[in-house]
Amino acid sequence: EVQLVESGGGLVQPGGSLRLSCAASGFTVSGNYMSWVRLAPGKGLEWVSIIYTGGGTFYADSVKGRFTISRDNSKNTLYLQMNSLRAEDTAVYYCAREMGFSGLDVWGQGTTVTVSS
Amino acid sequence: QSALTQPRSVSGSPGQSVTISCTGTSSDVGGYNYVSWYQQHPGKAPKLMIYDVSKRPSGVPDRFSGSKSVNTASLTISGLQAEDEADYYCCSYAGSFNWVFGGGTKLTVL
Protein backbone atom coordinates (compact mmCIF):
# COMPACT_ATOMS: atom_id res chain seq x y z
CA GLU A 1 0.00 0.00 0.00
CA VAL A 2 1.27 3.45 -0.89
CA GLN A 3 1.50 5.44 2.33
CA LEU A 4 3.24 8.36 4.02
CA VAL A 5 3.48 8.71 7.80
CA GLU A 6 4.77 11.91 9.38
CA SER A 7 6.21 12.31 12.86
CA GLY A 8 8.27 14.74 14.88
CA GLY A 9 5.83 17.55 15.48
CA GLY A 10 5.40 19.19 18.86
CA LEU A 11 5.60 22.37 20.90
CA VAL A 12 8.74 24.45 20.51
CA GLN A 13 9.74 27.91 21.66
CA PRO A 14 10.37 30.73 19.19
CA GLY A 15 13.89 30.48 17.86
CA GLY A 16 13.98 26.74 18.46
CA SER A 17 14.42 23.82 16.10
CA LEU A 18 12.48 20.72 15.15
CA ARG A 19 12.98 17.91 12.66
CA LEU A 20 10.00 16.34 10.96
CA SER A 21 10.14 12.86 9.46
CA CYS A 22 8.00 11.27 6.76
CA ALA A 23 8.30 7.53 6.29
CA ALA A 24 7.19 6.20 2.94
CA SER A 25 5.94 2.73 2.04
CA GLY A 26 4.84 1.27 -1.26
CA PHE A 27 7.19 3.49 -3.25
CA THR A 28 10.64 5.07 -2.91
CA VAL A 29 11.21 8.68 -1.89
CA SER A 30 14.39 8.68 -3.98
CA GLY A 31 12.45 7.86 -7.13
CA ASN A 32 9.90 10.61 -6.70
CA TYR A 33 9.65 14.35 -6.20
CA MET A 34 8.65 14.90 -2.58
CA SER A 35 7.18 18.02 -1.01
CA TRP A 36 6.23 19.51 2.33
CA VAL A 37 3.03 21.55 2.57
CA ARG A 38 1.60 23.23 5.66
CA LEU A 39 -1.78 24.38 6.89
CA ALA A 40 -1.72 27.16 9.46
CA PRO A 41 -4.71 27.76 11.73
CA GLY A 42 -7.37 29.76 9.94
CA LYS A 43 -5.33 29.92 6.75
CA GLY A 44 -4.99 28.01 3.49
CA LEU A 45 -2.48 25.46 2.37
CA GLU A 46 1.04 26.72 1.74
CA TRP A 47 3.73 24.95 -0.26
CA VAL A 48 6.93 24.81 1.79
CA SER A 49 9.63 22.83 0.01
CA ILE A 50 10.43 20.19 -2.59
CA ILE A 51 13.27 17.75 -3.21
CA TYR A 52 13.76 16.32 -6.66
CA THR A 53 14.93 12.86 -7.63
CA GLY A 54 18.34 14.29 -8.49
CA GLY A 55 18.61 15.86 -5.04
CA GLY A 56 17.86 19.45 -5.98
CA THR A 57 15.95 21.34 -3.30
CA PHE A 58 13.74 24.42 -3.40
CA TYR A 59 11.93 26.45 -0.76
CA ALA A 60 9.16 28.98 -0.32
CA ASP A 61 10.51 32.44 0.42
CA SER A 62 8.89 32.30 3.86
CA VAL A 63 11.17 29.47 5.01
CA LYS A 64 14.26 29.92 2.83
CA GLY A 65 17.42 29.90 4.90
CA ARG A 66 15.67 28.40 7.93
CA PHE A 67 14.28 25.07 6.72
CA THR A 68 16.16 22.21 5.05
CA ILE A 69 14.55 19.32 3.19
CA SER A 70 16.45 16.07 2.87
CA ARG A 71 15.94 12.33 2.50
CA ASP A 72 17.52 9.09 3.66
CA ASN A 73 17.21 6.58 0.85
CA SER A 74 18.19 3.64 3.08
CA LYS A 75 15.31 4.45 5.42
CA ASN A 76 12.97 5.56 2.63
CA THR A 77 12.26 8.65 4.70
CA LEU A 78 11.87 12.34 3.97
CA TYR A 79 12.86 15.02 6.49
CA LEU A 80 12.28 18.68 7.16
CA GLN A 81 14.77 20.36 9.48
CA MET A 82 13.22 23.55 10.81
CA ASN A 83 15.45 26.11 12.53
CA SER A 84 14.84 29.61 13.87
CA LEU A 85 11.17 28.81 14.25
CA ARG A 86 8.65 31.64 14.46
CA ALA A 87 5.07 31.81 15.68
CA GLU A 88 3.91 32.03 12.08
CA ASP A 89 5.41 28.58 11.42
CA THR A 90 2.68 27.07 13.61
CA ALA A 91 0.80 24.68 11.35
CA VAL A 92 0.00 21.11 10.45
CA TYR A 93 2.81 19.91 8.23
CA TYR A 94 2.09 17.39 5.49
CA CYS A 95 4.53 15.50 3.33
CA ALA A 96 3.30 14.57 -0.12
CA ARG A 97 4.42 12.92 -3.35
CA GLU A 98 4.59 15.25 -6.32
CA MET A 99 3.71 13.99 -9.80
CA GLY A 100 6.31 16.04 -11.61
CA PHE A 101 4.73 19.48 -11.76
CA SER A 102 1.20 18.11 -12.05
CA GLY A 103 -0.04 17.71 -8.49
CA LEU A 104 0.41 16.02 -5.13
CA ASP A 105 -1.14 12.56 -5.33
CA VAL A 106 -0.17 10.93 -2.03
CA TRP A 107 -0.36 12.74 1.31
CA GLY A 108 0.53 11.87 4.86
CA GLN A 109 -1.86 12.43 7.75
CA GLY A 110 0.07 15.48 8.96
CA THR A 111 2.03 16.39 12.08
CA THR A 112 1.34 19.46 14.17
CA VAL A 113 4.00 22.04 14.96
CA THR A 114 3.25 24.72 17.53
CA VAL A 115 5.71 27.55 18.06
CA SER A 116 4.94 29.34 21.30
CA SER A 117 6.58 30.47 24.50
CA GLN B 1 4.46 34.89 -4.49
CA SER B 2 0.86 35.86 -3.69
CA ALA B 3 -1.76 33.23 -3.02
CA LEU B 4 -4.27 32.46 -5.74
CA THR B 5 -7.69 34.03 -5.21
CA GLN B 6 -10.63 31.78 -4.38
CA PRO B 7 -14.08 32.66 -3.03
CA ARG B 8 -14.23 32.12 0.72
CA SER B 9 -17.38 30.03 0.44
CA VAL B 10 -19.86 28.55 -1.99
CA SER B 11 -22.99 26.53 -1.43
CA GLY B 12 -25.47 24.41 -3.28
CA SER B 13 -28.29 21.94 -2.75
CA PRO B 14 -27.95 18.20 -3.34
CA GLY B 15 -28.08 17.43 -7.05
CA GLN B 16 -27.10 20.93 -8.10
CA SER B 17 -23.82 22.06 -9.64
CA VAL B 18 -21.33 24.50 -8.17
CA THR B 19 -18.22 26.09 -9.61
CA ILE B 20 -15.23 27.31 -7.63
CA SER B 21 -12.95 29.82 -9.28
CA CYS B 22 -9.22 30.25 -8.78
CA THR B 23 -7.66 33.43 -10.12
CA GLY B 24 -3.96 33.94 -10.55
CA THR B 25 -1.69 35.69 -12.99
CA SER B 26 0.17 35.01 -16.19
CA SER B 27 3.09 33.89 -13.98
CA ASP B 28 1.21 30.98 -12.50
CA VAL B 29 -2.28 29.85 -13.58
CA GLY B 30 -2.05 31.54 -16.97
CA GLY B 31 1.50 30.48 -17.64
CA TYR B 32 1.33 26.74 -17.10
CA ASN B 33 -1.14 23.89 -17.46
CA TYR B 34 -0.19 22.67 -14.00
CA VAL B 35 -3.28 23.53 -11.98
CA SER B 36 -4.45 21.02 -9.40
CA TRP B 37 -7.39 20.91 -7.00
CA TYR B 38 -7.59 19.35 -3.55
CA GLN B 39 -10.49 18.40 -1.29
CA GLN B 40 -9.93 18.53 2.44
CA HIS B 41 -12.37 17.38 5.09
CA PRO B 42 -11.85 18.69 8.65
CA GLY B 43 -8.95 16.97 10.36
CA LYS B 44 -8.07 14.96 7.28
CA ALA B 45 -5.28 15.14 4.73
CA PRO B 46 -5.94 16.88 1.43
CA LYS B 47 -7.00 14.65 -1.47
CA LEU B 48 -6.07 15.26 -5.10
CA MET B 49 -9.20 15.74 -7.19
CA ILE B 50 -7.91 17.31 -10.41
CA TYR B 51 -4.42 17.68 -11.90
CA ASP B 52 -3.04 19.24 -15.06
CA VAL B 53 -6.08 21.58 -15.13
CA SER B 54 -8.64 18.95 -16.08
CA LYS B 55 -7.40 15.40 -15.46
CA ARG B 56 -9.01 13.21 -12.82
CA PRO B 57 -6.99 10.68 -10.79
CA SER B 58 -8.29 7.17 -10.70
CA GLY B 59 -11.15 6.87 -8.23
CA VAL B 60 -12.32 10.47 -8.38
CA PRO B 61 -15.94 10.63 -9.59
CA ASP B 62 -16.56 12.21 -12.98
CA ARG B 63 -18.85 14.67 -11.20
CA PHE B 64 -15.65 16.63 -10.61
CA SER B 65 -14.23 18.53 -13.56
CA GLY B 66 -11.64 21.24 -14.09
CA SER B 67 -11.00 23.91 -16.67
CA LYS B 68 -8.97 27.05 -17.25
CA SER B 69 -9.40 30.31 -19.12
CA VAL B 70 -6.49 32.73 -19.27
CA ASN B 71 -5.56 33.36 -15.62
CA THR B 72 -8.56 31.72 -13.97
CA ALA B 73 -9.02 28.02 -13.27
CA SER B 74 -12.33 26.50 -12.23
CA LEU B 75 -13.49 23.38 -10.45
CA THR B 76 -17.05 22.29 -11.17
CA ILE B 77 -18.86 19.75 -9.05
CA SER B 78 -22.07 18.46 -10.56
CA GLY B 79 -24.75 16.38 -8.87
CA LEU B 80 -23.73 17.67 -5.44
CA GLN B 81 -23.73 15.11 -2.65
CA ALA B 82 -23.56 15.60 1.10
CA GLU B 83 -20.07 14.11 1.24
CA ASP B 84 -18.78 16.82 -1.10
CA GLU B 85 -19.01 19.31 1.76
CA ALA B 86 -15.37 20.20 2.45
CA ASP B 87 -12.68 22.79 1.86
CA TYR B 88 -11.30 22.99 -1.67
CA TYR B 89 -7.91 24.38 -2.64
CA CYS B 90 -6.44 25.14 -6.03
CA CYS B 91 -2.71 25.04 -6.67
CA SER B 92 -0.56 26.15 -9.57
CA TYR B 93 3.05 25.81 -10.57
CA ALA B 94 4.50 29.32 -10.52
CA GLY B 95 7.82 28.82 -12.23
CA SER B 96 11.32 28.75 -10.75
CA PHE B 97 10.43 25.60 -8.82
CA ASN B 98 7.72 27.29 -6.78
CA TRP B 99 4.09 26.40 -6.25
CA VAL B 100 1.27 28.60 -4.99
CA PHE B 101 -2.02 27.56 -3.42
CA GLY B 102 -5.31 29.38 -3.25
CA GLY B 103 -6.74 30.55 0.05
CA GLY B 104 -9.34 27.79 0.03
CA THR B 105 -13.09 27.65 -0.50
CA LYS B 106 -15.56 26.16 1.96
CA LEU B 107 -18.28 24.25 0.14
CA THR B 108 -21.54 23.88 2.01
CA VAL B 109 -24.16 21.41 0.80
CA LEU B 110 -27.48 22.84 1.91
Side-chain angles (χ1 to χ4, degrees):
Chain A
E1 180 190 5
V2 172
Q3 192 175 9
L4 292 168
V5 178
E6 300 99 334
S7 60
L11 174 64
V12 61
Q13 292 187 339
S17 298
L18 212 54
R19 189 179 81 157
L20 306 183
S21 300
C22 171
S25 56
F27 70 98
T28 62
V29 296
S30 60
N32 289 270
Y33 299 170
M34 298 295 298
S35 285
W36 287 96
V37 176
R38 66 186 181 183
L39 180 64
K43 297 196 174 183
L45 294 172
E46 180 186 17
W47 174 77
V48 173
S49 181
I50 189 168
I51 184 168
Y52 285 99
T53 51
T57 58
F58 298 90
Y59 302 89
D61 288 344
S62 57
V63 306
K64 201 172 294 183
R66 301 187 299 121
F67 289 13
T68 302
I69 189 172
S70 64
R71 67 187 182 216
D72 185 328
N73 297 343
S74 66
K75 295 182 179 179
N76 205 25
T77 298
L78 179 74
Y79 301 101
L80 186 68
Q81 177 67 43
M82 305 185 295
N83 299 330
S84 303
L85 282 162
R86 306 166 180 167
E88 53 264 37
D89 296 318
T90 294
V92 177
Y93 285 74
Y94 299 96
C95 61
R97 185 176 73 178
E98 171 70 57
M99 303 188 301
F101 296 91
S102 296
L104 297 156
D105 67 333
V106 180
W107 293 70
Q109 84 288 352
T111 188
T112 300
V113 172
T114 302
V115 184
S116 175
S117 55
Chain B
Q1 188 68 46
S2 300
L4 305 176
T5 300
Q6 296 182 235
R8 293 289 297 268
S9 64
V10 298
S11 62
S13 300
Q16 288 186 333
S17 293
V18 296
T19 296
I20 300 171
S21 61
C22 170
T23 300
T25 69
S26 58
S27 297
D28 38 63
V29 174
Y32 307 93
N33 287 322
Y34 293 130
V35 176
S36 51
W37 288 90
Y38 302 88
Q39 176 192 67
Q40 187 174 34
H41 290 105
K44 300 294 187 181
K47 176 185 176 183
L48 179 66
M49 305 302 285
I50 296 288
Y51 68 98
D52 289 353
V53 176
S54 60
K55 297 177 182 177
R56 274 180 292 105
S58 173
V60 172
D62 59 8
R63 302 185 295 105
F64 292 83
S65 62
S67 63
K68 189 184 83 166
S69 176
V70 192
N71 297 333
T72 298
S74 299
L75 173 70
T76 298
I77 309 171
S78 59
L80 266 180
Q81 299 181 3
E83 57 263 36
D84 297 334
E85 185 163 296
D87 293 327
Y88 290 83
Y89 294 92
C90 61
C91 181
S92 175
Y93 180 63
S96 302
F97 304 104
N98 275 282
W99 279 257
V100 61
F101 280 91
T105 298
K106 181 176 180 60
L107 169 63
T108 300
V109 180
L110 302 171

